[in-house]
Amino acid sequence: MNYLSTRSGLSADFASVVASGLAPDGGLYLPERFPALDSATRTRLGRSDYAEAVAVVGSAFGGDVLDSRAWRALGEASAAAFRHGAVAPLSEIDAGHFLLELFHGPTLSFKDYGLQPLARLLSMLGRADRRPLFILGATSGDTGSAAIEAFRGREDARIAILHPHGRVSDIQRRQMTTVTDPNVLNLAIEGSFDDCQRIAKAVLLARVAKGEETVLSVNSINWGRLLFQTAYHVHTACRLAALGRPLALSVPSGNFGNALSAIIAAMIGAPIAHLIIASNANDALTRFFREGRIETGRVRETLSPAMDIQIPSNLERFLHLLQGRDPDRTAAAMTGLRETGAMVRPESGTAPPLSIEAASIADDGILDTISRLYRETDRILDPHSAVAVAAMRGAQALPGDALRISVATAHPAKFGEAVARALGFAPPIPAALSALVQMEERYEVLPADEERVETRIAAFLKALP
Ligand SMILES: *Cc1c(COP(=O)(O)O)cnc(C)c1O
């Protein structure tokens, strides 16, 4: 399938889209078409495993590069990296209200669900020019460890991750720095997350200009991540469809990748009737969906740090779909946002095939939800998942017979401090995390200086065969 940029007529094929980030015109890629899954396929998926969902969704969007057997093999290999046989299991927390558990991957956050299969896909596709793949990113938490875990030990890939020195949690740092494969470089930057992002961007441009590797940034704008996230949403909806009740989904949102994947799932025919975009106190998305306007402002620090985001990067894709895929209008809206700090939702648009509402849950609502659910069910939620559950419980416009699914995006042990504030005790640490404390850490501390980081990364790349 052909892919188009949101900002001009620029097009690219599937293989180059998944091995890149931004389109050269600054836009994001979307598939030219959204092929509808027929009802026989949806019924079959309702009874099949996760790998079959990868086969169906992968073939729909990238059937020209891998056949459906290869997609299925990719799904099976990815599933084996998860700790739960169902990969993304459902559990009921009260009558007709389920958690979709997206924390059974190697680093215990939902980022594994995009990055584990993406790394395998990139290895399968190979690169015609035989250049190695270089993954570069800045992280404030979950993305760095999920990316390192996905690409560690892969002969065709090198990965360097920048994190702000002393400003990520102990567990989050150890998840990255205890990986000592030679193709992994961890840099602790003496500065903020913003410094890390700025430096990563500069080094990325410098490496692209050198042309020695295929350079990939691992943020939420990569189409491959969205594709695999669409697969679990399709699978979940098809599994529950047999119950014959309308489905409502609540997604804890930051860069809007997970929620957009649910919208894409509905666009290709997954029976999702209602979507709740759940944000923390950073309420840009809530205001966009409620008031039709988004404004740049200061990021607030909350108990759910993976969602502390000002302008969600995937909003551009959604806007583009709303505006009937007119690249000129998208480009104008994004330029306007950069220049004036505000953007208005288009009046006349192409309606998405499901109803959408949005809610913002502040820290006290997060703490309250964690302690309430623990009292009711003995279950411990992480603060991000609590945002989804709180938004679902407060949803206004659901049909009475709706089946409710709240998406759980992290294991509570990753955010033990917030849980302890809600419950008075820290959640039990799974073996995979407690083992990290005894493991050797490897990372280098560097000043927030583009040149120093670039030099170190050049030496790292040169030293590998
Ligand atoms: C990244 C992340 C989110 C936000 O997901 P988006 O796709 O950026 O909206 C929510 N919860 C957790 C735990 C995350 O790591």
Side-chain angles (χ1 to χ4, degrees):
M1 169 137 15
N2 216 25
Y3 284 73
L4 301 171
S5 164
T6 48
R7 294 201 194 174
S8 74
L10 203 92
S11 78
D13 62 15
F14 180 82
S16 52
V17 165
V18 290
S20 68
L22 285 180
D25 61 7
L28 305 180
Y29 288 113
L30 276 171
E32 180 177 59
R33 287 178 301 110
F34 289 88
L37 307 179
D38 59 37
S39 78
T41 304
R42 295 197 303 259
T43 309
R44 179 164 58 80
L45 271 188
R47 303 191 210 101
S48 313
D49 59 1
Y50 165 82
E52 198 57 24
V54 171
V56 165
V57 175
S59 306
F61 291 112
D64 48 344
V65 290
L66 295 179
D67 63 18
S68 86
R69 279 177 57 188
W71 278 108
R72 189 175 157 92
L74 167 62
E76 283 169 2
S78 306
F82 287 79
R83 294 192 175 87
H84 195 291
V87 182
L90 289 160
S91 55
E92 199 163 22
I93 53 172
D94 68 64
H97 187 175
F98 298 85
L99 281 188
L100 174 61
E101 300 179 0
L102 301 181
F103 51 72
H104 296 288
T107 69
L108 311 181
S109 91
F110 111 95
K111 302 293 191 289
D112 291 325
Y113 290 74
L115 287 163
Q116 281 290 327
L118 178 62
R120 288 175 173 80
L121 173 66
L122 291 167
S123 292
M124 279 168 89
L125 292 179
R127 271 157 299 286
D129 55 20
R130 306 213 162 267
R131 289 187 303 180
L133 192 64
F134 174 45
I135 296 100
L136 176 63
T139 189
S140 59
D142 296 336
T143 305
S145 58
I148 287 172
E149 198 55 55
F151 288 98
R152 69 186 292 181
R154 289 187 183 275
E155 256 170 42
D156 55 343
R158 294 96 176 78
I159 176 165
I161 296 290
L162 279 50
H163 72 264
H165 187 40
R167 300 197 199 181
V168 299
S169 78
D170 211 49
I171 282 186
Q172 286 179 322
R173 187 193 68 249
R174 285 177 186 277
Q175 282 189 306
M176 297 190 279
T177 58
T178 54
V179 178
T180 53
D181 300 66
N183 74 329
V184 175
L185 177 66
N186 272 297
L187 296 177
I189 303 297
E190 293 173 316
S192 64
F193 171 59
D194 285 339
D195 291 325
C196 294
Q197 267 191 311
R198 172 177 53 78
I199 295 169
K201 203 168 174 181
V203 177
L204 192 124
L205 290 174
R207 294 310 307 180
V208 169
K210 277 215 157 64
E212 291 167 14
E213 312 94 22
T214 298
V215 188
L216 178 69
S217 80
V218 282
N219 42 28
S220 16
I221 57 176
N222 183 286
W223 166 254
R225 281 178 62 176
L226 294 183
L227 180 147
F228 293 113
Q229 291 165 197
T230 300
Y232 61 68
H233 283 306
V234 168
H235 192 214
T236 304
C238 290
R239 271 185 291 170
L240 290 173
L243 300 175
R245 289 162 61 178
L247 298 186
L249 189 66
S250 176
V251 182
S253 295
N255 266 323
F256 197 52
N258 201 355
L260 182 67
S261 305
I263 295 172
I264 294 171
M267 288 172 70
I268 62 173
I272 303 168
H274 195 87
L275 176 67
I276 299 159
I277 317 277
S279 302
N280 61 24
N282 292 286
D283 62 352
L285 280 169
T286 312
R287 295 177 56 188
F288 180 76
F289 282 96
R290 287 195 178 166
E291 297 157 22
R293 190 178 155 81
I294 197 161
E295 268 165 48
T296 47
R298 286 234 342 259
V299 175
R300 292 195 206 175
E301 279 185 33
T302 73
L303 294 173
S304 46
M307 294 153 61
D308 290 350
I309 280 161
Q310 206 184 57
I311 300 292
S313 51
N314 275 296
L315 195 63
E316 174 165 350
R317 284 191 166 105
F318 183 71
L319 190 77
H320 186 70
L321 296 170
L322 274 186
Q323 294 181 323
R325 309 204 62 171
D326 178 342
D328 295 336
R329 289 182 67 192
T330 311
M334 296 315 294
T335 309
L337 179 62
R338 201 180 57 235
E339 284 170 2
T340 67
M343 183 173 76
V344 177
R345 185 179 171 161
E347 283 291 333
S348 61
T350 313
L354 73 181
S355 70
I356 298 180
E357 71 177 86
S360 157
I361 309 294
D363 278 355
D364 54 354
I366 293 178
L367 295 172
D368 212 55
T369 305
I370 295 175
S371 77
R372 223 180 98 187
L373 196 79
Y374 182 68
R375 281 199 310 271
E376 290 166 1
T377 67
D378 274 352
R379 276 201 71 124
I380 302 179
L381 285 176
D382 98 281
H384 304 81
S385 313
V387 168
V389 169
M392 178 62 91
R393 286 186 161 169
Q396 299 298 316
L398 299 187
D401 63 341
L403 276 183
R404 293 165 293 146
I405 307 156
S406 292
V407 178
T409 47
H411 191 288
K414 277 197 99 164
F415 298 94
E417 272 178 41
V419 173
R421 261 180 70 181
L423 301 182
F425 62 91
I429 309 274
L433 287 187
S434 54
L436 296 178
V437 181
Q438 269 110 54
M439 286 162 70
E440 178 204 347
E441 287 188 77
R442 192 188 293 168
Y443 64 100
E444 295 163 35
V445 182
L446 284 181
D449 179 301
E450 283 167 24
E451 237 166 80
R452 292 279 301 274
V453 174
E454 197 185 322
T455 307
R456 179 64 191 96
I457 285 178
F460 161 70
L461 290 168
K462 205 165 190 167
L464 288 167

